[in-house]
Amino acid sequence: LVELFQFRLALPWFEKVVELDPNDSSTKGKLIYLYQQCGEYEKSIALAKEMLTSVNAGDTDIIEELYSVLADNYFIKGDTDTAIDWLDKIIRESKNKDLVEFTKNIRASWSSM
């Protein structure tokens, strides 16, 4: 269903997998994306924040992805200040120079809106 862009139809299946295995971080990550694509930003935000509490501190790629998703969700909802706060976390914490530069550009763009 996801490959056919039937995100709304895929949601219950992913939710059921998480219900059956609450530790399935791979499915949770996909569910965050599906919620976002379906306009369910609060659910996407809540699940991303939940995942942040349990992700290993050494999994910087996952942490940065979650920060990015949170920034996107808040920006789409019109909360630019909170979105920029999440971008600032990437800028402060990331060791990935390309990601930091990209994030700085996005931040500058969002700040001017």
Side-chain angles (χ1 to χ4, degrees):
L1 291 172
V2 172
E3 290 180 17
L4 296 172
F5 305 103
Q6 298 299 311
F7 303 131
R8 181 76 51 202
L9 293 174
L11 273 177
W13 295 97
F14 282 81
E15 290 171 333
K16 187 63 173 179
V17 170
V18 171
E19 177 186 324
L20 295 171
D21 183 1
N23 298 318
D24 185 344
S25 60
S26 175
T27 301
K28 283 183 178 180
K30 292 174 182 148
L31 189 53
I32 289 169
Y33 171 76
L34 289 174
Y35 283 143
Q36 186 182 55
Q37 293 304 305
C38 292
E40 296 189 30
Y41 305 114
E42 292 301 327
K43 287 183 178 181
S44 181
I45 289 168
L47 190 52
K49 287 182 176 180
E50 175 191 318
M51 282 191 70
L52 276 174
T53 65
S54 62
V55 69
N56 182 338
D59 289 334
T60 56
D61 289 344
I62 294 170
I63 293 168
E64 292 165 352
E65 181 66 27
L66 290 169
Y67 288 173
S68 296
V69 167
L70 285 162
D72 288 345
N73 280 321
Y74 280 108
F75 184 76
I76 293 166
K77 286 177 28 122
D79 187 349
T80 304
D81 292 337
T82 303
I84 288 173
D85 289 343
W86 287 104
L87 294 179
D88 287 341
K89 288 178 80 67
I90 295 169
I91 293 167
R92 280 192 313 270
E93 298 176 18
S94 181
K95 304 290 188 244
N96 181 330
K97 291 178 183 178
D98 291 335
L99 176 61
V100 169
E101 283 307 309
F102 177 79
T103 303
K104 285 179 179 179
N105 290 334
I106 295 295
R107 188 191 191 291
S109 172
W110 289 1
S111 293
S112 66
M113 295 184 151

PDB file of all heavy atoms in Angstrom, residues 51-74:
ATOM      1  N   MET A  51       9.923   8.102  20.270  1.00  0.00           N
ATOM      2  CA  MET A  51      11.108   7.385  19.792  1.00  0.00           C
ATOM      3  C   MET A  51      12.392   8.044  20.287  1.00  0.00           C
ATOM      4  O   MET A  51      13.362   7.350  20.586  1.00  0.00           O
ATOM      5  CB  MET A  51      11.112   7.293  18.271  1.00  0.00           C
ATOM      6  CG  MET A  51      10.180   6.224  17.739  1.00  0.00           C
ATOM      7  SD  MET A  51      10.429   5.931  15.982  1.00  0.00           S
ATOM      8  CE  MET A  51      12.026   5.123  15.979  1.00  0.00           C
ATOM      9  N   LEU A  52      12.411   9.360  20.384  1.00  0.00           N
ATOM     10  CA  LEU A  52      13.604  10.057  20.868  1.00  0.00           C
ATOM     11  C   LEU A  52      13.964   9.637  22.291  1.00  0.00           C
ATOM     12  O   LEU A  52      15.142   9.623  22.644  1.00  0.00           O
ATOM     13  CB  LEU A  52      13.404  11.570  20.820  1.00  0.00           C
ATOM     14  CG  LEU A  52      13.684  12.245  19.498  1.00  0.00           C
ATOM     15  CD1 LEU A  52      13.303  13.718  19.559  1.00  0.00           C
ATOM     16  CD2 LEU A  52      15.140  12.086  19.090  1.00  0.00           C
ATOM     17  N   THR A  53      12.965   9.291  23.081  1.00  0.00           N
ATOM     18  CA  THR A  53      13.239   8.907  24.469  1.00  0.00           C
ATOM     19  C   THR A  53      13.886   7.531  24.579  1.00  0.00           C
ATOM     20  O   THR A  53      14.507   7.227  25.581  1.00  0.00           O
ATOM     21  CB  THR A  53      11.956   8.912  25.330  1.00  0.00           C
ATOM     22  OG1 THR A  53      11.066   7.903  24.862  1.00  0.00           O
ATOM     23  CG2 THR A  53      11.294  10.279  25.325  1.00  0.00           C
ATOM     24  N   SER A  54      13.763   6.740  23.530  1.00  0.00           N
ATOM     25  CA  SER A  54      14.275   5.364  23.629  1.00  0.00           C
ATOM     26  C   SER A  54      15.420   5.055  22.664  1.00  0.00           C
ATOM     27  O   SER A  54      16.001   3.982  22.729  1.00  0.00           O
ATOM     28  CB  SER A  54      13.133   4.364  23.392  1.00  0.00           C
ATOM     29  OG  SER A  54      12.594   4.525  22.094  1.00  0.00           O
ATOM     30  N   VAL A  55      15.756   5.994  21.793  1.00  0.00           N
ATOM     31  CA  VAL A  55      16.808   5.733  20.815  1.00  0.00           C
ATOM     32  C   VAL A  55      18.172   5.813  21.505  1.00  0.00           C
ATOM     33  O   VAL A  55      18.373   6.637  22.405  1.00  0.00           O
ATOM     34  CB  VAL A  55      16.708   6.701  19.602  1.00  0.00           C
ATOM     35  CG1 VAL A  55      17.044   8.116  19.994  1.00  0.00           C
ATOM     36  CG2 VAL A  55      17.579   6.252  18.469  1.00  0.00           C
ATOM     37  N   ASN A  56      19.067   4.950  21.093  1.00  0.00           N
ATOM     38  CA  ASN A  56      20.425   4.934  21.617  1.00  0.00           C
ATOM     39  C   ASN A  56      21.127   6.235  21.222  1.00  0.00           C
ATOM     40  O   ASN A  56      21.077   6.650  20.069  1.00  0.00           O
ATOM     41  CB  ASN A  56      21.167   3.715  21.047  1.00  0.00           C
ATOM     42  CG  ASN A  56      22.573   3.580  21.554  1.00  0.00           C
ATOM     43  OD1 ASN A  56      23.195   4.540  22.004  1.00  0.00           O
ATOM     44  ND2 ASN A  56      23.087   2.368  21.490  1.00  0.00           N
ATOM     45  N   ALA A  57      21.808   6.860  22.175  1.00  0.00           N
ATOM     46  CA  ALA A  57      22.479   8.143  21.925  1.00  0.00           C
ATOM     47  C   ALA A  57      23.491   8.054  20.783  1.00  0.00           C
ATOM     48  O   ALA A  57      23.787   9.052  20.133  1.00  0.00           O
ATOM     49  CB  ALA A  57      23.164   8.628  23.198  1.00  0.00           C
ATOM     50  N   GLY A  58      24.019   6.863  20.514  1.00  0.00           N
ATOM     51  CA  GLY A  58      24.979   6.687  19.426  1.00  0.00           C
ATOM     52  C   GLY A  58      24.351   6.592  18.052  1.00  0.00           C
ATOM     53  O   GLY A  58      25.050   6.657  17.040  1.00  0.00           O
ATOM     54  N   ASP A  59      23.040   6.466  18.001  1.00  0.00           N
ATOM     55  CA  ASP A  59      22.332   6.371  16.713  1.00  0.00           C
ATOM     56  C   ASP A  59      22.027   7.774  16.192  1.00  0.00           C
ATOM     57  O   ASP A  59      20.870   8.187  16.063  1.00  0.00           O
ATOM     58  CB  ASP A  59      21.043   5.565  16.866  1.00  0.00           C
ATOM     59  CG  ASP A  59      21.295   4.094  17.095  1.00  0.00           C
ATOM     60  OD1 ASP A  59      22.343   3.596  16.671  1.00  0.00           O
ATOM     61  OD2 ASP A  59      20.425   3.443  17.722  1.00  0.00           O
ATOM     62  N   THR A  60      23.087   8.502  15.867  1.00  0.00           N
ATOM     63  CA  THR A  60      22.925   9.907  15.485  1.00  0.00           C
ATOM     64  C   THR A  60      22.098  10.081  14.214  1.00  0.00           C
ATOM     65  O   THR A  60      21.363  11.061  14.100  1.00  0.00           O
ATOM     66  CB  THR A  60      24.292  10.591  15.327  1.00  0.00           C
ATOM     67  OG1 THR A  60      25.080   9.862  14.379  1.00  0.00           O
ATOM     68  CG2 THR A  60      25.032  10.652  16.660  1.00  0.00           C
ATOM     69  N   ASP A  61      22.214   9.150  13.282  1.00  0.00           N
ATOM     70  CA  ASP A  61      21.409   9.273  12.055  1.00  0.00           C
ATOM     71  C   ASP A  61      19.923   9.244  12.371  1.00  0.00           C
ATOM     72  O   ASP A  61      19.144  10.022  11.808  1.00  0.00           O
ATOM     73  CB  ASP A  61      21.748   8.170  11.058  1.00  0.00           C
ATOM     74  CG  ASP A  61      23.111   8.337  10.421  1.00  0.00           C
ATOM     75  OD1 ASP A  61      23.682   9.444  10.508  1.00  0.00           O
ATOM     76  OD2 ASP A  61      23.620   7.362   9.839  1.00  0.00           O
ATOM     77  N   ILE A  62      19.527   8.355  13.260  1.00  0.00           N
ATOM     78  CA  ILE A  62      18.117   8.247  13.638  1.00  0.00           C
ATOM     79  C   ILE A  62      17.681   9.501  14.389  1.00  0.00           C
ATOM     80  O   ILE A  62      16.612  10.059  14.118  1.00  0.00           O
ATOM     81  CB  ILE A  62      17.867   6.980  14.482  1.00  0.00           C
ATOM     82  CG1 ILE A  62      18.102   5.737  13.633  1.00  0.00           C
ATOM     83  CG2 ILE A  62      16.455   6.979  15.068  1.00  0.00           C
ATOM     84  CD1 ILE A  62      18.121   4.433  14.404  1.00  0.00           C
ATOM     85  N   ILE A  63      18.507   9.948  15.311  1.00  0.00           N
ATOM     86  CA  ILE A  63      18.177  11.149  16.082  1.00  0.00           C
ATOM     87  C   ILE A  63      18.014  12.349  15.156  1.00  0.00           C
ATOM     88  O   ILE A  63      17.038  13.098  15.257  1.00  0.00           O
ATOM     89  CB  ILE A  63      19.249  11.412  17.158  1.00  0.00           C
ATOM     90  CG1 ILE A  63      19.200  10.305  18.216  1.00  0.00           C
ATOM     91  CG2 ILE A  63      19.062  12.793  17.789  1.00  0.00           C
ATOM     92  CD1 ILE A  63      20.381  10.294  19.167  1.00  0.00           C
ATOM     93  N   GLU A  64      18.946  12.522  14.239  1.00  0.00           N
ATOM     94  CA  GLU A  64      18.864  13.646  13.304  1.00  0.00           C
ATOM     95  C   GLU A  64      17.636  13.544  12.412  1.00  0.00           C
ATOM     96  O   GLU A  64      16.994  14.557  12.110  1.00  0.00           O
ATOM     97  CB  GLU A  64      20.138  13.718  12.467  1.00  0.00           C
ATOM     98  CG  GLU A  64      21.355  14.100  13.282  1.00  0.00           C
ATOM     99  CD  GLU A  64      22.685  13.849  12.604  1.00  0.00           C
ATOM    100  OE1 GLU A  64      22.707  13.227  11.507  1.00  0.00           O
ATOM    101  OE2 GLU A  64      23.695  14.257  13.170  1.00  0.00           O
ATOM    102  N   GLU A  65      17.296  12.342  12.006  1.00  0.00           N
ATOM    103  CA  GLU A  65      16.087  12.153  11.190  1.00  0.00           C
ATOM    104  C   GLU A  65      14.838  12.525  11.993  1.00  0.00           C
ATOM    105  O   GLU A  65      13.930  13.185  11.471  1.00  0.00           O
ATOM    106  CB  GLU A  65      15.994  10.706  10.697  1.00  0.00           C
ATOM    107  CG  GLU A  65      14.795  10.420   9.826  1.00  0.00           C
ATOM    108  CD  GLU A  65      14.811  11.148   8.489  1.00  0.00           C
ATOM    109  OE1 GLU A  65      15.910  11.467   7.996  1.00  0.00           O
ATOM    110  OE2 GLU A  65      13.732  11.396   7.929  1.00  0.00           O
ATOM    111  N   LEU A  66      14.800  12.114  13.246  1.00  0.00           N
ATOM    112  CA  LEU A  66      13.653  12.457  14.088  1.00  0.00           C
ATOM    113  C   LEU A  66      13.564  13.968  14.307  1.00  0.00           C
ATOM    114  O   LEU A  66      12.478  14.542  14.240  1.00  0.00           O
ATOM    115  CB  LEU A  66      13.726  11.706  15.424  1.00  0.00           C
ATOM    116  CG  LEU A  66      13.499  10.199  15.334  1.00  0.00           C
ATOM    117  CD1 LEU A  66      13.863   9.526  16.652  1.00  0.00           C
ATOM    118  CD2 LEU A  66      12.069   9.876  14.927  1.00  0.00           C
ATOM    119  N   TYR A  67      14.698  14.616  14.547  1.00  0.00           N
ATOM    120  CA  TYR A  67      14.705  16.078  14.676  1.00  0.00           C
ATOM    121  C   TYR A  67      14.161  16.724  13.397  1.00  0.00           C
ATOM    122  O   TYR A  67      13.378  17.671  13.458  1.00  0.00           O
ATOM    123  CB  TYR A  67      16.117  16.605  14.921  1.00  0.00           C
ATOM    124  CG  TYR A  67      16.722  16.349  16.279  1.00  0.00           C
ATOM    125  CD1 TYR A  67      18.055  16.666  16.512  1.00  0.00           C
ATOM    126  CD2 TYR A  67      16.001  15.805  17.342  1.00  0.00           C
ATOM    127  CE1 TYR A  67      18.656  16.451  17.749  1.00  0.00           C
ATOM    128  CE2 TYR A  67      16.588  15.573  18.572  1.00  0.00           C
ATOM    129  CZ  TYR A  67      17.916  15.910  18.775  1.00  0.00           C
ATOM    130  OH  TYR A  67      18.499  15.697  20.001  1.00  0.00           O
ATOM    131  N   SER A  68      14.579  16.213  12.259  1.00  0.00           N
ATOM    132  CA  SER A  68      14.134  16.757  10.970  1.00  0.00           C
ATOM    133  C   SER A  68      12.635  16.595  10.782  1.00  0.00           C
ATOM    134  O   SER A  68      11.946  17.531  10.343  1.00  0.00           O
ATOM    135  CB  SER A  68      14.871  16.075   9.816  1.00  0.00           C
ATOM    136  OG  SER A  68      16.241  16.343   9.873  1.00  0.00           O
ATOM    137  N   VAL A  69      12.128  15.426  11.112  1.00  0.00           N
ATOM    138  CA  VAL A  69      10.691  15.171  10.974  1.00  0.00           C
ATOM    139  C   VAL A  69       9.908  16.081  11.912  1.00  0.00           C
ATOM    140  O   VAL A  69       8.872  16.641  11.526  1.00  0.00           O
ATOM    141  CB  VAL A  69      10.374  13.680  11.251  1.00  0.00           C
ATOM    142  CG1 VAL A  69       8.895  13.445  11.422  1.00  0.00           C
ATOM    143  CG2 VAL A  69      10.919  12.800  10.152  1.00  0.00           C
ATOM    144  N   LEU A  70      10.407  16.240  13.122  1.00  0.00           N
ATOM    145  CA  LEU A  70       9.729  17.133  14.061  1.00  0.00           C
ATOM    146  C   LEU A  70       9.726  18.567  13.530  1.00  0.00           C
ATOM    147  O   LEU A  70       8.692  19.245  13.575  1.00  0.00           O
ATOM    148  CB  LEU A  70      10.400  17.050  15.434  1.00  0.00           C
ATOM    149  CG  LEU A  70      10.073  15.764  16.199  1.00  0.00           C
ATOM    150  CD1 LEU A  70      11.077  15.528  17.318  1.00  0.00           C
ATOM    151  CD2 LEU A  70       8.652  15.815  16.744  1.00  0.00           C
ATOM    152  N   ALA A  71      10.868  19.014  13.024  1.00  0.00           N
ATOM    153  CA  ALA A  71      10.932  20.364  12.453  1.00  0.00           C
ATOM    154  C   ALA A  71       9.921  20.509  11.314  1.00  0.00           C
ATOM    155  O   ALA A  71       9.171  21.493  11.265  1.00  0.00           O
ATOM    156  CB  ALA A  71      12.348  20.662  11.961  1.00  0.00           C
ATOM    157  N   ASP A  72       9.889  19.543  10.416  1.00  0.00           N
ATOM    158  CA  ASP A  72       8.952  19.595   9.286  1.00  0.00           C
ATOM    159  C   ASP A  72       7.506  19.652   9.760  1.00  0.00           C
ATOM    160  O   ASP A  72       6.712  20.455   9.255  1.00  0.00           O
ATOM    161  CB  ASP A  72       9.125  18.380   8.378  1.00  0.00           C
ATOM    162  CG  ASP A  72      10.388  18.417   7.559  1.00  0.00           C
ATOM    163  OD1 ASP A  72      11.008  19.496   7.456  1.00  0.00           O
ATOM    164  OD2 ASP A  72      10.778  17.359   7.030  1.00  0.00           O
ATOM    165  N   ASN A  73       7.159  18.792  10.709  1.00  0.00           N
ATOM    166  CA  ASN A  73       5.781  18.758  11.199  1.00  0.00           C
ATOM    167  C   ASN A  73       5.371  20.086  11.814  1.00  0.00           C
ATOM    168  O   ASN A  73       4.285  20.594  11.542  1.00  0.00           O
ATOM    169  CB  ASN A  73       5.592  17.626  12.217  1.00  0.00           C
ATOM    170  CG  ASN A  73       5.421  16.282  11.569  1.00  0.00           C
ATOM    171  OD1 ASN A  73       4.768  16.158  10.546  1.00  0.00           O
ATOM    172  ND2 ASN A  73       6.006  15.258  12.159  1.00  0.00           N
ATOM    173  N   TYR A  74       6.228  20.641  12.657  1.00  0.00           N
ATOM    174  CA  TYR A  74       5.890  21.920  13.268  1.00  0.00           C
ATOM    175  C   TYR A  74       5.798  23.031  12.219  1.00  0.00           C
ATOM    176  O   TYR A  74       4.910  23.881  12.287  1.00  0.00           O
ATOM    177  CB  TYR A  74       6.898  22.289  14.358  1.00  0.00           C
ATOM    178  CG  TYR A  74       6.627  21.572  15.662  1.00  0.00           C
ATOM    179  CD1 TYR A  74       7.460  20.555  16.104  1.00  0.00           C
ATOM    180  CD2 TYR A  74       5.524  21.918  16.453  1.00  0.00           C
ATOM    181  CE1 TYR A  74       7.211  19.895  17.298  1.00  0.00           C
ATOM    182  CE2 TYR A  74       5.265  21.263  17.646  1.00  0.00           C
ATOM    183  CZ  TYR A  74       6.108  20.262  18.069  1.00  0.00           C
ATOM    184  OH  TYR A  74       5.852  19.597  19.253  1.00  0.00           O
TER     185      TYR A  74
END
